[in-house]
Amino acid sequence: MIYSIVIEPPDDFAAFRTAARRLLAARIDPADVTWTDRREAALFPQVPPGPERIAAVPRAFVELAEAVACHRDASRWPLLYQLLRRLADGERTLMDQPADTLVHRLQRMAASVRRDRHRMTAFVRFRIVDDDDGPCSVAWYEPQHRILRRVTPFFIDRFASLRFSILTPDMCVHWDRQTARYASGLSRSAAPGGDEVEDWWKRYYCATFNPARVNPKLLDSHMPKRYRRDLPEAGSIQDLLGNASRRTDRMIGR
């Protein structure tokens, strides 16, 4: 029999864990399971509720799965269940074998998600708007993967005393200094175009630019061009790079 497992929302690791435990307890083969993030697309019966007690899995698998859960690749859930099944079937050292094709593929997916999370913490730019409750910092960002839930604690820790909203195409988060509330995603047009702090930030960025340490390749590595359209300072980068040699010559001359 073929079973359909619906993971909704599509980054819900807890839902995957619950479903995977039931599948393992029922000894369902990975080839007999389809995974989807849309309930209306589930063509086959779901595994009925049952015992979820299974042997403990390595912590390394849990950490890997939590990251891979955010990946946009639709194969993430079947691949994770294949790995889990192999662990449960006795390959206890599998997580220590990065040369294994399945482990290698999932580790690459997890690495992509972690890079995306790091870039979001670096490239989100808030703009201040006023609403009925006063000033609110609003940012729009387009992540590569579904990482907003995983990154939200970082922004709450850093800006706990501020009201802020982060808008993405997948979903939005609104922090009111006490509770994080998630809502449907929005397009870039819903975000504010600028604020009075932005000009100050551009001047600061230009003033701290060091022309003697210009490295365009390194810049492209750390700040890929796909992210620059939402960074206020990005509009100054080409001018700064173009004038770097002349500015360096003047510094040496002085």
Side-chain angles (χ1 to χ4, degrees), residues 13-215:
F13 171 70
F16 165 78
R17 180 174 56 193
T18 298
R21 285 174 173 173
R22 292 175 180 169
L23 292 168
L24 285 178
R27 301 296 298 169
I28 305 298
D29 190 88
D32 294 331
V33 185
T34 64
W35 301 80
T36 178
D37 57 9
R38 294 184 294 114
R39 192 164 301 278
E40 62 273 15
L43 302 178
F44 304 102
Q46 293 208 40
V47 178
E52 298 177 10
R53 299 188 63 179
I54 61 172
V57 297
R59 178 61 191 172
F61 171 81
V62 177
E63 294 175 350
L64 177 73
E66 287 177 338
V68 173
C70 302
H71 204 283
R72 290 193 187 277
D73 193 328
S75 68
R76 65 197 181 284
W77 301 128
L79 292 176
L80 284 172
Y81 182 58
Q82 289 177 38
L83 180 60
L84 185 59
R85 180 63 184 267
R86 289 175 61 183
L87 289 168
D89 285 348
E91 296 185 61
R92 304 302 295 175
T93 63
L94 185 57
M95 297 303 299
D96 299 322
Q97 301 177 31
D100 180 271
T101 302
L102 178 58
V103 173
H104 178 71
R105 182 174 176 182
L106 286 167
Q107 286 180 340
R108 285 177 60 87
M109 292 170 70
S112 177
V113 169
R114 293 181 182 120
R115 283 194 301 272
D116 200 32
R117 290 172 62 176
H118 172 72
R119 284 170 173 165
M120 184 168 182
T121 61
F123 297 147
V124 162
R125 296 291 184 267
F126 288 103
R127 294 175 169 96
I128 300 174
V129 299
D130 288 314
D131 59 21
D132 294 339
D133 296 317
C136 180
S137 298
V138 180
W140 192 91
Y141 187 81
E142 186 174 6
Q144 183 178 358
H145 302 295
R146 299 181 181 96
I147 59 173
L148 182 60
R149 294 182 197 273
R150 304 303 192 279
V151 181
T152 294
F154 168 87
F155 291 101
I156 291 176
D157 288 343
R158 177 159 291 193
F159 306 113
S161 62
L162 299 178
R163 291 174 59 240
F164 68 77
S165 293
I166 301 177
L167 318 179
T168 81
D170 299 309
M171 66 171 57
C172 305
V173 62
H174 306 286
W175 170 250
D176 63 4
R177 302 190 185 98
Q178 294 182 329
T179 305
R181 178 175 57 86
Y182 293 95
S184 300
L186 293 171
S187 66
R188 181 183 280 104
S189 62
D195 63 10
E196 59 185 15
V197 178
E198 199 158 294
D199 287 339
W200 176 88
W201 167 243
K202 292 177 183 178
R203 291 195 299 271
Y204 172 80
Y205 183 83
C206 293
T208 57
F209 176 80
N210 186 343
R213 300 186 66 182
V214 167
N215 187 331

